Amino acid sequence: MPIFDKPATAASRYSFLDDYSEGAHPALLKALLASNTSQEAGYGNDAYCEVARQRIRRHLGRDDVGVFFVPSGTSANAISIAACLRPHEAVIAASSGHIVTRETGAVEASGHKIINVVPHNGKLTPATIQRAMEDNWHFPHMAKPRLVYISNATEIGTIYTHDELAAVRRCCDDNGLLLFLDGARIGTALTSRVNDMTLRDVLELTDIFWIGGTKNGAFLGEAVIVKDPRLASEFEFYVKQHGSLLAKSRVMGTQFAELFHENLYFELALKANLAAEALSDGISAAGFSVSATTETNQVFAILPLGLIKTLQEHFIFYVWEKRGDDAAVVRLLTTWATDTEQLEKFVGLVREWVG
Amino acid sequence: MPIFDKPATAASRYSFLDDYSEGAHPALLKALLASNTSQEAGYGNDAYCEVARQRIRRHLGRDDVGVFFVPSGTSANAISIAACLRPHEAVIAASSGHIVTRETGAVEASGHKIINVVPHNGKLTPATIQRAMEDNWHFPHMAKPRLVYISNATEIGTIYTHDELAAVRRCCDDNGLLLFLDGARIGTALTSRVNDMTLRDVLELTDIFWIGGTKNGAFLGEAVIVKDPRLASEFEFYVKQHGSLLAKSRVMGTQFAELFHENLYFELALKANLAAEALSDGISAAGFSVSATTETNQVFAILPLGLIKTLQEHFIFYVWEKRGDDAAVVRLLTTWATDTEQLEKFVGLVREWVG
Amino acid sequence: MPIFDKPATAASRYSFLDDYSEGAHPALLKALLASNTSQEAGYGNDAYCEVARQRIRRHLGRDDVGVFFVPSGTSANAISIAACLRPHEAVIAASSGHIVTRETGAVEASGHKIINVVPHNGKLTPATIQRAMEDNWHFPHMAKPRLVYISNATEIGTIYTHDELAAVRRCCDDNGLLLFLDGARIGTALTSRVNDMTLRDVLELTDIFWIGGTKNGAFLGEAVIVKDPRLASEFEFYVKQHGSLLAKSRVMGTQFAELFHENLYFELALKANLAAEALSDGISAAGFSVSATTETNQVFAILPLGLIKTLQEHFIFYVWEKRGDDAAVVRLLTTWATDTEQLEKFVGLVREWVG
Amino acid sequence: MPIFDKPATAASRYSFLDDYSEGAHPALLKALLASNTSQEAGYGNDAYCEVARQRIRRHLGRDDVGVFFVPSGTSANAISIAACLRPHEAVIAASSGHIVTRETGAVEASGHKIINVVPHNGKLTPATIQRAMEDNWHFPHMAKPRLVYISNATEIGTIYTHDELAAVRRCCDDNGLLLFLDGARIGTALTSRVNDMTLRDVLELTDIFWIGGTKNGAFLGEAVIVKDPRLASEFEFYVKQHGSLLAKSRVMGTQFAELFHENLYFELALKANLAAEALSDGISAAGFSVSATTETNQVFAILPLGLIKTLQEHFIFYVWEKRGDDAAVVRLLTTWATDTEQLEKFVGLVREWVG
């Protein structure tokens, strides 16, 4: 007997809309089940969070960093930024950054100005950061730039190479700036075909960053990594004040313990990337171009409007922007859970259209 | 094979510390499992949240109220209060209120002053609210009282009767005040032996309130009920801006759909209350007094220090405050998951001590 | 006997740097002196503020608007915006706007995001506002645009015509936006050669605006005009909470009473404009071009570097930006207090250079 | 010829209501006049502010402290506290403190909780601070106490002795707390009959404090003294962000330069104290008691209702609270400007009543 009947509104078409359409990976569910009856201390002091922190630290290669679990990417960003800044300090971010375009002004709600810069292929560069510094020097009449926000993978699926991130780091050092990395999709970034960084490199090159669970197999949860011991020692206050210190943090602890048990986290991300590659290759093989190289789990393909209409009969995805009168860019997201059959059906329809 | 070995730090003594030591109720876990593979829209637009909203509205007897899921009690309180107030408006709350003593200044962090009043048995009364109004009239040099915060059950486990809540409501109306009810433990309140209210009464007598999931069987999640349609229409902005709009809100939707399937929510709360009653009765029968009548799932018992020491060998609980040289008040919390055997063992030890 | 010796750091070169280098207009000083010994009620309830409000209302042609005195432009902007918005609402402003570039993130410090748009000749247009609306629709993941901020005169000295402001107003109405006008230099705007608006038009076309005293003859003080009676009834709370309700508001009241006694406010502004025109004409007559039409009290002239160097021996002014290898744009500000002799000396040096 | 006719609402009865009913001291007005025509740099970089800073530093006996001028006491308090604290840190203050009762929640508006403690004779003591620490230890669920706010003179006119302040300082050191002193009436405190401290002692014993101008002879302005060089180096950002960095800070500079020219500041305060003493003595001599010792410029006298009625025909003052059926406490404030004739008339009426 079902808990409740399949709700009428449930999607009947397969979705390539985003990377949070599914529930949790079965291994995480199983861990949740196994842990369910044990009594645990609240607010992150439970045994599962402790194991998760140890396993994450092992992956990071350092015992002495703070690891904090929060329920959402917006809370991870807002808390981290508020914890790092004095009231008059500002953030430098790409105008395409998630904190700029998709978080309802949460950073500003905590009192901080975001200085927008134009991204290059979704990324910040030393030159654009330097330019932002030069445009914001008129003190004390301007907020003082103090933290650079970047995302890896970026909001359009591109990634930073080691050289690129190291250059940003140097630029930050030269300008007295902290470097904060939004890792909502750090798994797909670090398992990208074109990636040359490890999690340890990210730790070394940034001041604070987070590892996204929600978009890589968990029901919820992001792990914020705090290097500065003084900041780490008070970080829970910020988490609690933002309403993000869950009484049953064990729910996040269990899942992260599982994700960082051996290499599961990166295996799931790699699956998402490979699915994207397959989609991208299939579309290219049929003679259509992609509007950006597929580096992670986002495919941007330019398709004729007629084909898009046909595809929409079977699939859900974003039509991103028009290209001329007869075509448009569509965005397709894949995950660890992407159904291979559905993927092949999609590519098949593309091929048929040409055919 | 266990997901990971039993962590060394896990409690070996049974805990009466709080009502969030366990995971989720098995029925909720089962629902999570059953829902896991379906693809769903993000941010609360999924089918499970929709079912949960419908079922909660059915219990409330009204179709037209807003229902919003947030991950924690602190976020429910901070968001609701920030959504209701203009920057210069203040909250009236008992000095024992959760927002005063256990939320790291989250209300003040959103810019609002809390005017503390002395509680009577954990509760606000028209007289104390009126007094707060009279002490805060010197406008515009004082923040303007605009919202009354109460908890039901209160932080010490007492509950409001219908008459008491109606009187507070009238006092609010007379003074242009909104009435907000923190329902972290509304389940145990409405199933208390001495309760004479329904969920519909609470809806009628307040402006905004929330139904706690975390302390009554869920992994996480509280459901905020918003009556004012204008406020409800923009409420998601606040939820999102606070980092509390989970991408996979389905996790909360599934659990609340299950909790409000028929009467499960209240059945779980009743179990917690009955366990507390059994504890309270057992302790009283052994000749010890309770320092406050046990109305919900919190027992405050006055025990000799020697007995407390003995109990601590087997159980974890809070020693609340000294009573003379030889005794102390202890706090014992029960839940839907309280183990009857452990409870009987506890009472047995109390009896033995006397005997 | 001087109060103290001429401080060593005092400027020996004449300044065209800004419009707040001098003290107060003599008529205002005289009024301050005359009022000094009377005992008055505090916090704006004095007789002088009352007279000032009446005189300003007479100029506005309406008895029923709120008039509030605050000590600075930054406080006028931050208070007005915070008073109009809910926490999730955002401001649309030109990227050159004073709140964006010169107020240390004061708007963000009160929790609100500013959506920057590219200005046209320092101004917003319906097209740019409409574009900002179209870029910020993804609710509730984006802050909700709710208020348009404009300056008149703008930060580069240009002004809105009646048609232009009326068009912005219609665009605001179509999009549910409030229109807020920063009038730090509203005097020079409304006495510009090319102006076709009155103070009454500004009142009619905006929701809230302010009349700058600091840059037009006063020691300090800006008068915020609030049309919405509900907002006006609580506006003093915001002023007080921001630390801007001066105990001796009489200082601002006396000066504004004098400025709006007959037409003094506009006479002073006109003097500033005429001085700018004389400068501009003199420079043009010598064969140099101005980089923007001189509409108010700001002159932007393109001069050879050699001439600039000569001028700097006698005057202080901003060198704004390079123009090729041999020239630069300089910015010259005039006021009611600009010394005609110094102005002529400046023009004389320009003429001599040409020879 | 008057600038405008005596406004109809102007007081015809002499006021003992507060210490900001008059304009500025004549010497300050004269300094304003003398400085008026010189061109000066804006935002506190003018020669007058520089002289004022030097003179204040000379009184403080230290060259290396930051001195910042802001327009109001509320801004001095809100800015200082916001500049000292991290978002999760709280203030300990007497429930009678100005920031608690008369500043419209400005501290909370900047995000910080105030922990109220019961004052002893208007003052905090080590015991009450220690108690507040013990009540606020449950981290991270409680905001972290970090700063103690005191006023000297207090809100009821009492003062701290050197021993009392030193004891508070030690308590702060023991608990990792900053000590902030609101010096709105520091002049009357340090010239009180019972005072044994100097301005240098205050500097030594506190971390940050301010010297009030508004209530001691100035039109406006308070001077915030910042010892910590790192805080001082960024303090102007906070001042600007709060809208308190006046373009013509010269207005405050001129006045403070004059107040701290030799000993004027303290001479004015002493005059206020002596007037209060004369009032207090006169009332006592007539056989009435004062409800608190008159230590500074506030007199609290217990008078029969009939006498109060008679006095109200000629004077304005606060009736503070009833005392039995036939008497009440009245509050009388004196200043440097208190009119000796009026004072004698007041005492005369008291004497007559006894008759």
Side-chain angles (χ1 to χ4, degrees):
Chain A
M1 195 196 72
I3 306 301
F4 46 78
D5 299 333
K6 183 70 183 167
T9 59
S12 53
R13 292 174 295 160
Y14 193 78
S15 168
F16 289 107
L17 265 184
D18 54 52
D19 36 14
Y20 42 80
S21 290
E22 286 89 9
H25 186 269
L28 278 61
L29 255 184
K30 200 173 144 194
L32 256 187
L33 268 166
S35 73
N36 195 53
T37 52
S38 92
Q39 285 191 317
E40 293 293 332
Y43 300 107
N45 298 314
D46 61 281
Y48 301 100
C49 281
E50 186 49 32
V51 170
R53 283 190 290 263
Q54 286 169 11
R55 290 182 180 172
I56 289 173
R57 287 195 188 106
R58 203 171 310 150
H59 273 83
L60 292 167
R62 275 180 65 171
D63 282 348
D64 60 346
V65 298
V67 179
F68 303 92
F69 301 109
V70 299
S72 75
T74 298
S75 62
N77 285 332
I79 292 169
S80 299
I81 290 172
C84 285
L85 299 187
R86 305 280 320 139
H88 62 295
E89 293 176 341
V91 177
I92 296 174
S95 57
S96 54
H98 206 261
I99 58 168
V100 176
T101 63
R102 285 296 180 271
E103 301 187 359
T104 320
V107 170
E108 289 90 349
S110 74
H112 302 287
K113 185 187 183 74
I114 303 177
I115 297 163
N116 292 353
V117 306
V118 177
H120 285 76
N121 207 17
K123 294 178 267 187
L124 290 188
T125 66
T128 55
I129 294 168
Q130 200 61 48
R131 175 67 191 275
M133 292 305 293
E134 281 155 22
D135 288 347
N136 288 274
W137 60 272
H138 196 74
F139 303 145
H141 298 263
M142 286 178 143
K144 190 176 180 182
R146 172 66 177 142
L147 180 145
V148 168
Y149 165 93
I150 59 173
S151 310
N152 194 33
T154 69
E155 289 75 10
I156 58 164
T158 53
I159 68 163
Y160 283 83
T161 64
H162 189 281
D163 277 0
E164 286 171 341
L165 190 60
V168 167
R169 168 79 271 174
R170 278 191 304 275
C171 176
C172 288
D173 288 341
D174 293 346
N175 288 288
L177 296 166
L178 298 170
L179 182 55
F180 170 53
L181 186 145
D182 172 335
R185 294 190 181 105
I186 200 170
T188 55
L190 298 185
T191 55
S192 165
R193 232 172 356 95
V194 296
N195 172 65
D196 63 354
M197 277 198 291
T198 63
L199 204 54
R200 296 180 186 204
D201 294 330
V202 173
L203 178 66
E204 193 195 321
L205 292 171
T206 63
D207 292 290
I208 176 168
F209 76 102
W210 55 276
I211 300 171
T214 304
K215 289 175 176 164
N216 197 34
F219 274 130
L220 79 156
E222 331 294 332
V224 184
I225 312 301
V226 182
K227 272 161 84 175
D228 177 349
R230 210 160 53 100
L231 185 58
S233 74
E234 308 238 311
F235 203 78
E236 278 196 333
F237 283 98
Y238 301 100
V239 175
K240 174 67 184 167
Q241 193 180 64
H242 272 75
S244 294
L245 188 61
L246 300 191
K248 297 181 185 169
S249 286
R250 62 191 289 163
V251 183
M252 298 184 290
T254 317
Q255 295 181 82
F256 269 95
E258 196 56 28
L259 284 170
F260 283 86
H261 179 56
E262 297 180 354
N263 240 12
L264 183 60
Y265 186 79
F266 296 107
E267 289 162 12
L268 297 185
L270 183 61
K271 278 188 68 172
N273 284 348
L274 293 176
E277 214 174 311
L279 252 185
S280 184
D281 289 353
I283 292 167
S284 299
F288 298 108
S289 58
V290 291
S291 73
T293 326
T294 302
E295 300 189 346
T296 55
N297 65 327
Q298 305 198 38
V299 178
F300 293 88
I302 305 168
L303 302 177
L305 296 183
L307 171 53
I308 290 172
K309 210 175 155 196
T310 300
L311 289 165
Q312 283 174 328
E313 285 164 24
H314 305 276
F315 298 98
I316 314 178
F317 50 84
Y318 279 111
V319 178
W320 211 244
E321 54 183 9
K322 284 293 202 67
R323 278 295 167 94
D325 283 347
D326 305 322
V329 178
V330 302
R331 191 188 80 157
L332 306 164
L333 253 82
T334 56
T335 74
W336 57 273
T338 297
D339 185 325
T340 312
E341 263 180 60
Q342 293 286 350
L343 193 155
E344 283 166 5
K345 180 174 157 192
F346 189 99
V347 172
L349 285 169
V350 172
R351 243 188 329 246
E352 268 175 43
W353 175 267
V354 182
Chain B
M1 195 198 71
I3 305 300
F4 46 79
D5 300 331
K6 182 69 181 170
T9 60
S12 53
R13 291 174 295 160
Y14 193 78
S15 168
F16 289 108
L17 266 184
D18 55 51
D19 37 13
Y20 40 79
S21 291
E22 286 88 10
H25 186 270
L28 277 62
L29 256 184
K30 200 172 144 195
L32 257 187
L33 268 166
S35 73
N36 193 53
T37 54
S38 93
Q39 285 191 318
E40 294 291 333
Y43 299 107
N45 298 315
D46 61 282
Y48 301 100
C49 281
E50 187 49 32
V51 171
R53 284 190 289 263
Q54 285 168 12
R55 290 182 180 172
I56 289 173
R57 287 195 189 104
R58 204 173 309 149
H59 273 83
L60 291 168
R62 275 180 64 170
D63 282 348
D64 60 348
V65 297
V67 180
F68 303 92
F69 301 109
V70 298
S72 75
T74 298
S75 62
N77 285 331
I79 292 168
S80 298
I81 290 172
C84 285
L85 299 187
R86 305 280 319 140
H88 63 295
E89 293 176 342
V91 177
I92 296 174
S95 56
S96 54
H98 205 262
I99 57 168
V100 176
T101 63
R102 286 295 180 273
E103 301 186 359
T104 320
V107 170
E108 289 90 350
S110 75
H112 301 288
K113 186 189 185 71
I114 303 176
I115 297 164
N116 292 354
V117 306
V118 178
H120 285 76
N121 208 15
K123 294 178 266 186
L124 289 188
T125 65
T128 55
I129 296 168
Q130 199 61 47
R131 174 69 190 274
M133 293 304 292
E134 281 154 23
D135 288 347
N136 288 274
W137 61 271
H138 196 74
F139 302 147
H141 299 262
M142 286 178 143
K144 190 176 181 181
R146 172 66 176 141
L147 180 144
V148 168
Y149 166 92
I150 58 173
S151 309
N152 196 33
T154 68
E155 288 76 10
I156 58 164
T158 54
I159 69 163
Y160 283 83
T161 64
H162 189 283
D163 277 1
E164 286 171 340
L165 190 60
V168 167
R169 168 80 272 170
R170 279 192 303 274
C171 175
C172 288
D173 287 342
D174 292 347
N175 288 287
L177 296 165
L178 298 170
L179 182 54
F180 170 52
L181 186 146
D182 172 335
R185 296 192 180 104
I186 201 171
T188 55
L190 299 184
T191 55
S192 165
R193 230 171 359 96
V194 296
N195 172 65
D196 63 353
M197 278 199 290
T198 64
L199 204 54
R200 297 181 186 202
D201 294 330
V202 173
L203 178 67
E204 194 196 322
L205 292 171
T206 62
D207 292 290
I208 175 167
F209 75 102
W210 56 276
I211 300 172
T214 304
K215 289 175 176 165
N216 197 33
F219 274 129
L220 78 158
E222 332 293 333
V224 185
I225 312 301
V226 182
K227 273 161 84 174
D228 177 349
R230 209 160 53 100
L231 185 58
S233 75
E234 307 237 312
F235 204 78
E236 278 197 334
F237 284 99
Y238 301 99
V239 176
K240 174 67 184 167
Q241 194 180 63
H242 272 74
S244 295
L245 189 62
L246 300 190
K248 297 181 184 169
S249 286
R250 61 191 290 163
V251 184
M252 298 185 290
T254 317
Q255 294 183 80
F256 269 95
E258 196 57 28
L259 284 169
F260 284 85
H261 179 54
E262 297 179 355
N263 242 13
L264 182 60
Y265 186 78
F266 296 107
E267 289 163 13
L268 297 185
L270 183 60
K271 279 187 69 170
N273 285 347
L274 293 176
E277 214 174 310
L279 252 185
S280 184
D281 289 352
I283 291 167
S284 300
F288 299 108
S289 58
V290 291
S291 73
T293 326
T294 302
E295 299 189 346
T296 55
N297 64 327
Q298 304 197 37
V299 178
F300 292 88
I302 305 169
L303 301 178
L305 296 184
L307 172 53
I308 290 172
K309 210 173 154 199
T310 300
L311 290 165
Q312 283 175 328
E313 286 163 26
H314 305 275
F315 298 98
I316 313 178
F317 50 86
Y318 278 111
V319 179
W320 210 245
E321 53 183 10
K322 284 293 201 68
R323 278 295 166 97
D325 283 348
D326 306 321
V329 178
V330 302
R331 191 187 81 157
L332 306 164
L333 254 84
T334 57
T335 75
W336 57 272
T338 297
D339 186 325
T340 312
E341 263 179 60
Q342 294 284 352
L343 193 157
E344 284 167 3
K345 180 175 158 192
F346 188 99
V347 172
L349 285 169
V350 172
R351 243 188 327 245
E352 269 174 43
W353 176 268
V354 181
Chain C
M1 196 198 69
I3 306 298
F4 46 78
D5 300 330
K6 184 70 182 169
T9 60
S12 53
R13 294 174 294 161
Y14 194 78
S15 169
F16 289 107
L17 267 185
D18 55 51
D19 36 13
Y20 41 80
S21 291
E22 285 90 9
H25 186 270
L28 277 62
L29 256 185
K30 201 173 143 195
L32 256 187
L33 268 167
S35 72
N36 194 53
T37 53
S38 92
Q39 284 191 318
E40 293 292 333
Y43 299 107
N45 298 315
D46 61 281
Y48 301 100
C49 281
E50 187 48 33
V51 170
R53 284 191 288 263
Q54 286 168 11
R55 289 182 180 172
I56 289 172
R57 288 196 188 104
R58 202 172 311 148
H59 273 83
L60 291 167
R62 276 180 63 172
D63 282 348
D64 60 347
V65 297
V67 179
F68 303 92
F69 301 109
V70 298
S72 75
T74 298
S75 61
N77 285 331
I79 291 168
S80 299
I81 289 172
C84 285
L85 298 188
R86 305 279 321 138
H88 62 295
E89 293 176 342
V91 177
I92 296 174
S95 56
S96 54
H98 206 262
I99 57 168
V100 175
T101 63
R102 285 294 181 273
E103 300 187 358
T104 322
V107 170
E108 289 89 350
S110 75
H112 302 288
K113 186 188 183 72
I114 303 177
I115 298 163
N116 292 353
V117 306
V118 178
H120 285 78
N121 208 17
K123 294 178 266 187
L124 289 188
T125 65
T128 56
I129 295 168
Q130 200 61 48
R131 175 67 191 275
M133 292 303 293
E134 281 154 22
D135 288 347
N136 287 275
W137 61 272
H138 195 73
F139 302 146
H141 299 263
M142 286 177 142
K144 191 175 181 182
R146 173 65 177 142
L147 179 144
V148 168
Y149 165 92
I150 57 173
S151 310
N152 195 34
T154 69
E155 289 75 10
I156 58 164
T158 54
I159 69 164
Y160 284 83
T161 64
H162 189 282
D163 278 0
E164 285 171 341
L165 190 60
V168 167
R169 167 80 270 172
R170 278 191 304 273
C171 175
C172 288
D173 287 342
D174 292 347
N175 288 287
L177 296 165
L178 298 170
L179 182 54
F180 170 53
L181 186 146
D182 172 337
R185 294 191 180 104
I186 202 171
T188 55
L190 299 184
T191 55
S192 164
R193 233 175 352 97
V194 295
N195 172 65
D196 62 353
M197 278 198 291
T198 64
L199 203 54
R200 296 179 186 204
D201 293 330
V202 173
L203 178 67
E204 192 197 321
L205 293 171
T206 63
D207 293 290
I208 175 169
F209 75 103
W210 56 275
I211 300 171
T214 304
K215 289 174 175 165
N216 197 33
F219 274 129
L220 79 157
E222 331 293 333
V224 184
I225 312 301
V226 183
K227 272 161 85 174
D228 177 348
R230 211 161 52 102
L231 185 58
S233 74
E234 307 238 312
F235 204 77
E236 278 196 334
F237 284 98
Y238 301 99
V239 176
K240 174 66 184 169
Q241 194 180 64
H242 273 73
S244 294
L245 190 61
L246 300 189
K248 297 181 184 170
S249 286
R250 61 192 289 163
V251 183
M252 298 185 288
T254 317
Q255 294 182 81
F256 269 95
E258 195 58 29
L259 283 169
F260 283 86
H261 178 56
E262 296 179 355
N263 241 12
L264 182 61
Y265 186 79
F266 296 106
E267 289 162 11
L268 296 185
L270 183 59
K271 279 187 68 172
N273 285 346
L274 293 176
E277 213 174 312
L279 252 185
S280 184
D281 289 352
I283 291 166
S284 301
F288 299 107
S289 59
V290 290
S291 73
T293 326
T294 301
E295 299 189 347
T296 54
N297 65 327
Q298 304 198 38
V299 179
F300 292 88
I302 304 168
L303 301 178
L305 296 184
L307 171 53
I308 291 173
K309 209 174 154 195
T310 300
L311 290 165
Q312 283 175 328
E313 287 164 24
H314 305 276
F315 299 98
I316 313 179
F317 50 86
Y318 278 111
V319 179
W320 210 244
E321 53 183 11
K322 286 292 203 68
R323 279 296 167 94
D325 284 346
D326 305 322
V329 178
V330 302
R331 190 188 81 155
L332 306 164
L333 254 83
T334 56
T335 75
W336 57 272
T338 296
D339 185 325
T340 312
E341 264 179 59
Q342 293 286 350
L343 194 155
E344 284 167 3
K345 180 175 157 193
F346 188 99
V347 172
L349 285 168
V350 172
R351 244 187 326 247
E352 269 174 44
W353 176 266
V354 181
Chain D
M1 193 198 71
I3 305 299
F4 46 78
D5 299 333
K6 183 70 182 170
T9 60
S12 53
R13 291 175 296 160
Y14 193 78
S15 168
F16 288 108
L17 265 185
D18 55 51
D19 36 12
Y20 40 80
S21 291
E22 285 90 8
H25 186 271
L28 278 61
L29 256 185
K30 200 172 145 195
L32 256 187
L33 269 167
S35 73
N36 193 54
T37 52
S38 93
Q39 285 191 318
E40 294 293 332
Y43 299 107
N45 298 315
D46 61 281
Y48 301 101
C49 281
E50 187 49 33
V51 170
R53 284 190 289 263
Q54 286 169 11
R55 289 182 179 172
I56 289 173
R57 287 195 190 106
R58 203 173 309 150
H59 273 83
L60 291 168
R62 275 179 66 170
D63 281 349
D64 59 348
V65 298
V67 179
F68 303 92
F69 301 108
V70 299
S72 74
T74 298
S75 62
N77 284 332
I79 292 167
S80 298
I81 290 172
C84 285
L85 298 188
R86 305 280 320 140
H88 63 296
E89 293 176 341
V91 177
I92 296 175
S95 57
S96 54
H98 206 261
I99 57 168
V100 176
T101 62
R102 285 294 180 274
E103 300 187 359
T104 321
V107 170
E108 289 90 349
S110 75
H112 301 288
K113 185 188 184 70
I114 303 177
I115 297 163
N116 291 354
V117 305
V118 177
H120 285 77
N121 207 17
K123 293 178 267 186
L124 289 188
T125 65
T128 55
I129 295 167
Q130 200 61 48
R131 175 68 191 276
M133 292 304 294
E134 281 154 22
D135 288 346
N136 288 275
W137 60 271
H138 196 74
F139 303 146
H141 299 262
M142 287 178 141
K144 190 176 181 181
R146 174 64 176 143
L147 179 145
V148 168
Y149 166 92
I150 58 173
S151 309
N152 195 32
T154 69
E155 290 76 10
I156 58 164
T158 54
I159 69 164
Y160 284 83
T161 64
H162 189 283
D163 277 0
E164 286 171 341
L165 190 60
V168 167
R169 167 79 272 171
R170 278 192 304 273
C171 176
C172 288
D173 287 342
D174 292 347
N175 288 287
L177 296 166
L178 298 170
L179 182 54
F180 170 53
L181 187 147
D182 172 336
R185 294 190 180 106
I186 201 171
T188 55
L190 298 184
T191 55
S192 164
R193 232 173 354 97
V194 296
N195 172 65
D196 62 353
M197 278 198 291
T198 63
L199 203 55
R200 296 180 187 203
D201 294 330
V202 173
L203 178 67
E204 194 198 319
L205 293 171
T206 63
D207 292 291
I208 176 168
F209 76 101
W210 55 276
I211 300 171
T214 304
K215 289 175 176 165
N216 197 34
F219 274 130
L220 78 157
E222 331 293 333
V224 184
I225 312 302
V226 183
K227 273 161 84 175
D228 177 349
R230 211 161 52 100
L231 185 58
S233 75
E234 307 237 311
F235 204 78
E236 278 195 333
F237 284 98
Y238 301 99
V239 175
K240 174 66 184 167
Q241 194 180 64
H242 272 75
S244 294
L245 189 62
L246 301 190
K248 297 180 184 170
S249 286
R250 61 190 290 162
V251 183
M252 297 185 289
T254 317
Q255 294 182 81
F256 269 95
E258 196 56 29
L259 284 169
F260 283 85
H261 178 55
E262 296 180 354
N263 241 13
L264 182 61
Y265 186 79
F266 296 106
E267 289 163 12
L268 297 185
L270 183 60
K271 278 187 71 171
N273 285 348
L274 293 176
E277 214 174 310
L279 252 184
S280 183
D281 289 351
I283 291 167
S284 300
F288 298 108
S289 58
V290 291
S291 73
T293 326
T294 302
E295 299 189 347
T296 55
N297 65 327
Q298 305 199 36
V299 178
F300 291 88
I302 304 168
L303 301 178
L305 296 184
L307 171 53
I308 291 173
K309 209 172 156 199
T310 300
L311 290 165
Q312 284 174 328
E313 285 164 26
H314 306 275
F315 298 98
I316 314 179
F317 51 86
Y318 278 111
V319 179
W320 210 245
E321 53 183 11
K322 284 293 201 69
R323 280 292 168 97
D325 283 347
D326 305 322
V329 178
V330 302
R331 191 188 79 157
L332 306 164
L333 255 83
T334 57
T335 75
W336 57 272
T338 297
D339 186 324
T340 312
E341 264 180 59
Q342 293 285 350
L343 194 157
E344 284 167 2
K345 181 176 157 192
F346 188 99
V347 172
L349 285 168
V350 172
R351 244 190 325 249
E352 269 175 42
W353 175 267
V354 181

